[in-house]
Amino acid sequence: MSQSRETFGSRAAVIMALAGSAIGLGNIWRFPYIVGENGGAAFILVYIACTLLLSLPIFLGESIIGRRSGANCRGAMERLAPGTHWKWLGYLSVLTPMVIVSYYSVIGGWSLDYLFKSLSFSFIRESPEAIGGMFGSLVSSTWAPLLFHTLFLGASIVVVAFGVKGGIEKFSKICLPVLFVLIVAIAVYSVTLPGAKTGVDYLLKPDFSKLTPRAFVTALGQSFYSLSLGMGIIITYSSYVHKEENLLVSGVGTALSDLFFALLAGFAIMPAVFAAGIEPSAGPGLIFDTLPYIFHQMGQTMPVVSSLAAILFFVTILFAAMTSTVSLLEVGVAFLIEEKQMARKAACVAVFCVTWLVGILCSLSFGPLSGVKLFGDGIFDFLDKFSSNFLLTLGGLLAVLFVGWKMPKAAVHDEFTNGGVLKGNSACFGVFYFILKYVAPLAVLLIFLTNFL
């Protein structure tokens, strides 16, 4: 690793940065409605098992690639497997987050718009009919979503422009604790609402009769998505980790932080959903359609409390979206800095321009470009499906195959145990390596095939 290359300053910084990349809209927006669609507490138990037993070893495998190489995703493949076709895994790991951030920043822009709506008390002032049409009106319009997409992406790239320590690490240290405080406050508020007990029971009392084979694959896919696997983020961030750091400890810390936040998000949303008498399997519209209606209902009797809850909630969504967006952007920026010898600020401008332009197409696909279809889907939906169903799983599959079958076992052991110094890691290396080499590829392949079937 080059002496001039930046690294994270401490274990806390490593965990906060990695957890910040994992904790995002996937926890707040995706996790609660997936729990609602798959039976509640029983699904949560399966999700926890999938995260710790399968997704965590994959996470550690990508961490080993990153720290062993001390390079960006493309550079990592060149250093660990020079002159081979594995370079395409490096390029894929750079492409994937650029595709994702293009439409992810559009969703981040929506959350920024809704924060302004909550600050202006729109959810209390407007009629239920107006609130019901609010989201459709936003996404189908032209200029407002583009403005908020630009503001959100611009704020995120500014963080990246300040570098690993001055930008990403500092932002994570401030943002992650604030995120946890906000989600705890919302969860406390949610579980104390009249009628919320049914939602709490839904999250705590498992009904295994509601589990289906599809639910198991869904839980695995959600844990894979939530931990930012297959996106190049873990490889990139781990390349900034000191050689003395215990990858197992930082990996477990990241996974537990992600799980804890996802569960808190469930308690922040589901009790409120039940208190309002709304179907828990409301789907992806739970955040932008259902919750504003809940805030409106609460505002009729508790306007001040409801307004504060709405503001806190959308601040939380905004922060969560930004932590993930920063990590996605850093993958492309690191590639341009190290492979194209660009200055960081110039690399940030280049990545911003590309993702901003593609994001414009994604945003307009709900309005003026709604007639443009790619394989039957609008631009936004196509990129979402293409990245989630194909790019992510293919990248994750190739990463575990690379660590399990291409890298020498001695090199993997050396990185996992810090040269044999960490005796506890040595004791569990056999289990980790077996899962990574034999079980994880089958698990990722199962997600891959299920997405297409």
Side-chain angles (χ1 to χ4, degrees), residues 1-7:
M1 187 182 294
S2 169
Q3 292 298 313
S4 61
R5 200 168 191 272
E6 289 188 275
T7 57

Side-chain angles (χ1 to χ4, degrees), residues 6 111 119 127 134 157 163 233 253 262 384:
E6 289 188 275
S111 67
L119 287 169
S127 66
M134 195 176 281
I157 202 70
I233 293 173
D384 181 20

Side-chain angles (χ1 to χ4, degrees), residues 74-134:
R74 168 67 181 88
M77 293 300 104
E78 188 58 40
R79 291 187 183 186
L80 300 180
T84 68
H85 290 300
W86 285 104
K87 66 182 179 182
W88 297 110
L89 170 58
Y91 285 122
L92 177 66
S93 299
V94 174
L95 172 66
T96 301
M98 295 303 95
V99 173
I100 293 173
V101 82
S102 297
Y103 66 83
Y104 197 89
S105 64
V106 175
I107 304 174
W110 297 342
S111 67
L112 183 58
D113 176 86
Y114 267 60
L115 174 58
F116 285 131
K117 283 181 168 64
S118 64
L119 287 169
S120 62
F121 310 112
S122 296
F123 303 136
I124 296 176
R125 290 189 294 102
E126 299 290 347
S127 66
E129 293 75 19
I131 291 173
M134 195 176 281

Side-chain angles (χ1 to χ4, degrees), residues 199-223:
V200 174
D201 291 342
Y202 185 80
L203 294 170
L204 292 180
K205 295 182 178 179
D207 181 0
F208 293 102
S209 66
K210 294 183 179 180
L211 283 179
T212 64
R214 175 77 190 193
F216 282 88
V217 180
T218 301
L220 180 58
Q222 171 62 15
S223 71

